[in-house]
């Protein structure tokens, strides 16, 4: 017996076939309708979000929700503007579907084309952040992928309002299939989604370490994502300290509740006494709790007015705080910093502050992370800031897609072979014809145009 959840997933799967062939003009009209729907209904979105925030604050006081989740949940008028801008940025992106990746002549009159196409049906399971819905829906729509969303219960009203507005707007455009986007709302539906590998082609989880790890461990569906965001900045002995203060402050304080915020600051011993006191004062004034190794603690314990310095434990080097908490360690060299990052890091985003060009190259070569920053904040590791319009998530995987993932992570490819009654038998046996395997400067659209 097919359940209601299966019905929604099957409907989205069927719609994905149609969505894969929708024209660029139709998709862009649907995206503009989505942007207009958000702009025209700001009050409704804010009202729905306020209900969620009030409930979340009560849960936080009971110890059932973290401050980081409450922060991610909040929607403001400026955040709505950001959602709208993100959708319109996607409109401006080139349609990635149907692009010729490679063209090869196998033999005269027998031509092989490698062509980009949608993955199919994407499952997006996320916590707290209602802005995930417009980000992911816009990218999935432009790339021709149907999507099943499952948001956290803490954002129930916000997700429902935003999803309904976007979905109704998209489906109002002539040529758009019905049912391509579905919203699930109950906790039980998570495990149901994880079991639907017969229909769902890719899962994108957005949430805490434990949340993402649970997805990875409990499904056969490929998972695009990262379990941790343990990001580092190393301040080298050849750093411009004016740059270091700015970058290290921004990396931790600008928005600490996200996966690309710095969690560990590494400082070269030869500049620690000069750099760390001022840096610590900046952090202290911003309310940052500093968890220090022995060397950094000795430097900072001499500063009387610092409100929050503690001794670091081994667990601190392995912890993603998502809060105004920072671990600090003094290292002897860049090589020690690299070793620490590759050992304790999560391969997400790590940076160096230095003016030495050879060290910049060595650091980028040896740091095994999806984003490496040279004299720049870790907070730049973001799909929108990387010019992708928006992002479906950040991946530390080493297959398919890595780093902030935009539309390129929602595409795969197919091969199209164009012949004229050709058969393999002609290329086998003692008198076999030879393949030419010659590169072609041609587009598949010129051959298979539908005209």
């Amino acid at each position: 017996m097919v359940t209601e959840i299966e019905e929604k997933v099957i409907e989205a799967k069927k719609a994905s076939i149609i969505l894969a062939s929708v024209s660029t003009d139709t998709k862009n009209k649907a995206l503009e309708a989505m942007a207009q729907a958000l702009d025209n209904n700001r009050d409704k979105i804010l009202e729905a979000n306020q209900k969620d925030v009030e409930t979340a604050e009560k849960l936080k006081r009971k110890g059932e929700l973290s401050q980081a989740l409450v922060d991610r949940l909040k929607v403001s008028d400026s955040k709505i503007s950001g959602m709208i801008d993100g959708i319109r940025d996607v409109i401006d992106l080139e349609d990635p579907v149907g692009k010729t990746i490679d063209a090869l002549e196998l033999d005269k009159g027998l031509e092989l084309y490698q062509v980009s196409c949608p993955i199919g049906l994407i499952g997006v399971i996320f916590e707290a952040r209602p802005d995930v819905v417009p980000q992911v829906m816009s990218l999935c729509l432009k790339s021709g992928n149907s999507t099943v969303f499952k948001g956290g219960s803490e954002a129930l009203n916000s997700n429902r309002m935003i999803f309904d507005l976007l979905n109704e707007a998209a489906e109002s455009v002539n040529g758009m299939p019905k049912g391509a986007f579905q919203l699930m709302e109950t906790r039980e539906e998570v495990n149901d989604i994880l079991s639907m590998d017969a229909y769902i082609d890719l899962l994108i989880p957005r949430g805490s370490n434990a949340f993402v790890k649970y997805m990875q461990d409990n499904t056969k569906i490929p998972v695009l994502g990262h379990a941790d965001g343990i990001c580092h900045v190393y301040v080298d002995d050849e750093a411009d300290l004016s740059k270091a203060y700015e970058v290290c402050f921004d990396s931790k304080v600008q928005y600490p509740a996200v996966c690309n915020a710095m969690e560990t600051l590494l400082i070269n011993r030869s500049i620690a006494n000069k750099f760390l006191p001022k840096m610590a004062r900046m952090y202290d004034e911003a309310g940052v709790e500093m968890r220090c190794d022995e060397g950094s603690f000795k430097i900072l314990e001499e500063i009387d007015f610092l409100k929050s310095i503690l001794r670091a434990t081994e667990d601190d080097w392995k912890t993603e705080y998502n809060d105004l908490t920072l671990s600090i360690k003094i290292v002897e060299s860049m090589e020690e910093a690299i070793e620490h990052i590759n050992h304790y890091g999560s391969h997400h985003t790590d940076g160096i502050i230095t003016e030495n060009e050879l060290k910049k190259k060595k650091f980028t070569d040896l740091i095994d992370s999806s984003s490496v920053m040279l004299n720049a904040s870790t907070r730049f590791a973001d799909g929108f800031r990387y010019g992708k319009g928006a992002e479906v998530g950040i991946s530390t995987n080493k297959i398919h897609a890595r780093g902030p993932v935009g539309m390129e992570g929602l595409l795969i490819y197919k091969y199209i072979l164009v012949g004229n009654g050709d058969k393999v038998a002609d290329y086998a046996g003692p008198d076999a014809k030879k393949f030419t395997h010659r590169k072609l400067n041609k587009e598949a659209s010129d051959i298979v145009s539908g005209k």
Side-chain angles (χ1 to χ4, degrees):
M1 183 177 176
V2 177
T3 66
E4 182 181 351
I5 297 166
E6 286 177 301
E7 286 178 355
K8 286 184 175 182
V9 171
I10 291 169
E11 183 181 9
K13 184 67 173 179
K14 289 179 179 178
S16 71
I17 305 301
I18 302 169
L19 186 57
S21 63
V22 170
S23 71
T24 302
D25 183 60
T26 298
K27 289 189 285 191
N28 286 342
K29 286 178 179 175
L31 288 165
E32 179 55 35
M34 289 161 57
Q36 288 286 350
L38 294 184
D39 200 18
N40 295 340
N41 293 278
R42 289 172 180 262
D43 290 345
K44 290 182 179 178
I45 296 168
L46 293 172
E47 184 180 343
N49 182 250
Q50 185 57 37
K51 293 178 184 176
D52 290 329
V53 172
E54 289 172 0
T55 302
E57 290 285 3
K58 292 176 183 175
L59 292 172
K60 187 191 78 172
R61 287 193 290 271
K62 294 179 182 178
E64 296 177 22
L65 270 188
S66 68
Q67 183 61 51
L69 275 177
V70 176
D71 291 343
R72 290 178 179 182
L73 173 62
K74 293 176 182 176
V75 174
S76 62
D77 197 61
S78 63
K79 275 197 173 182
I80 296 173
S81 295
M83 295 177 197
I84 295 166
D85 290 343
I87 293 172
R88 288 186 170 142
D89 283 339
V90 173
I91 294 174
D92 293 336
L93 294 176
E94 183 180 13
D95 191 334
V97 179
K99 299 298 179 185
T100 300
I101 300 168
D102 193 22
L104 188 71
E105 178 193 85
L106 303 189
D107 197 359
K108 188 174 182 179
L110 185 61
E111 298 175 351
L112 180 67
Y113 295 88
Q114 184 183 17
V115 180
S116 63
C117 63
I119 287 175
L121 178 56
I122 311 296
V124 181
I125 306 177
F126 60 102
E127 289 179 316
R129 295 171 63 174
D131 55 342
V132 167
V133 179
Q135 282 179 3
V136 176
M137 188 183 289
S138 59
L139 287 171
C140 284
L141 192 155
K142 187 71 177 262
S143 59
N145 290 282
S146 289
T147 317
V148 174
F149 293 92
K150 169 64 182 79
S153 58
E154 68 281 348
L156 178 68
N157 296 291
S158 308
N159 291 338
R160 183 184 296 163
M161 178 60 68
I162 293 170
F163 176 85
D164 287 347
L165 289 169
L166 295 175
N167 191 50
E168 183 179 341
E171 290 188 350
S172 71
V173 173
N174 188 40
M176 283 293 296
K178 308 293 182 185
F181 303 102
Q182 302 283 348
L183 178 67
M184 311 293 187
E185 295 185 327
T186 67
R187 185 178 296 274
E188 293 73 26
E189 288 169 328
V190 171
N191 286 327
D192 288 326
I193 291 171
L194 296 180
S195 69
M196 293 186 181
D197 52 289
Y199 305 108
I200 298 174
D201 300 295
L202 179 69
L203 273 180
I204 302 174
R206 300 277 293 268
S208 67
N209 304 349
F211 178 81
V212 175
K213 191 73 166 60
Y214 181 83
M215 305 297 156
Q216 294 170 331
D217 292 343
N218 288 277
T219 186
K220 296 178 182 177
I221 304 168
V223 177
L224 187 151
H226 66 282
D228 299 291
I230 303 174
C231 304
H232 304 73
V233 175
Y234 164 61
V235 182
D236 185 50
D237 59 335
E238 297 183 75
D240 179 330
L241 295 190
S242 64
K243 295 178 185 177
Y245 293 127
E246 296 292 335
V247 170
C248 294
F249 189 81
D250 187 83
S251 294
K252 178 72 261 182
V253 177
Q254 195 270 335
Y255 190 13
V258 286
C259 61
N260 58 15
M262 174 178 61
E263 305 294 16
T264 298
L265 173 61
L266 302 172
I267 306 166
N268 189 284
R269 183 174 298 280
S270 66
I271 53 98
N273 282 292
K274 183 177 181 181
F275 170 73
L276 186 53
K278 180 180 175 180
M279 190 74 254
R281 290 186 188 101
M282 292 171 66
Y283 284 140
D284 193 66
E285 290 171 5
V288 177
E289 177 183 282
M290 290 165 276
R291 300 186 180 182
C292 305
D293 75 334
E294 192 62 33
S296 57
F297 191 88
K298 282 182 178 179
I299 294 172
L300 296 184
E301 69 178 342
E302 302 297 325
I303 304 175
D304 294 335
F305 59 81
L306 290 180
K307 295 184 285 294
S308 184
I309 60 167
L310 302 171
R311 293 184 186 274
T313 67
E314 176 68 14
D315 284 343
D316 284 308
W317 315 125
K318 308 171 186 175
T319 300
E320 181 181 10
Y321 302 112
N322 288 138
D323 206 345
L324 287 172
T325 304
L326 177 70
S327 55
I328 302 174
K329 182 177 182 179
I330 292 176
V331 295
E332 300 296 335
S333 64
M334 183 182 71
E335 288 71 23
E336 185 182 343
I338 291 170
E339 184 178 352
H340 179 99
I341 292 168
N342 286 337
H343 179 73
Y344 290 103
S346 56
H347 314 293
H348 190 299
T349 302
D350 300 287
I352 184 173
I353 313 298
T354 188
E355 297 301 301
N356 185 301
E357 296 301 321
L358 292 176
K359 287 182 178 179
K360 289 178 186 178
K361 183 179 187 308
K362 186 171 184 178
F363 192 86
T364 56
D365 286 347
L366 296 181
I367 289 296
D368 185 23
S369 299
S370 63
S371 286
V372 180
M373 307 312 202
L374 306 178
N375 295 328
S377 172
T378 60
R379 290 280 292 112
F380 280 106
D382 172 83
F384 174 73
R385 298 184 186 108
Y386 278 12
K388 297 174 180 290
E391 69 179 32
V392 295
I394 291 183
S395 173
T396 54
N397 297 346
K398 291 190 178 181
I399 55 171
H400 176 54
R402 197 179 191 207
V405 179
M407 279 197 294
E408 77 286 350
L410 298 173
L411 295 166
I412 192 63
Y413 53 82
K414 64 176 68 173
Y415 288 100
I416 300 173
L417 183 63
V418 180
N420 189 28
D422 300 272
K423 59 185 188 294
V424 168
D426 292 338
Y427 297 88
D431 299 319
K433 293 174 67 177
K434 300 293 185 182
F435 290 109
T436 59
H437 288 159
R438 183 173 65 90
K439 287 282 187 180
L440 297 174
N441 186 24
K442 297 174 72 172
E443 299 290 322
S445 56
D446 297 333
I447 308 300
V448 188
S449 63
K451 296 179 181 178

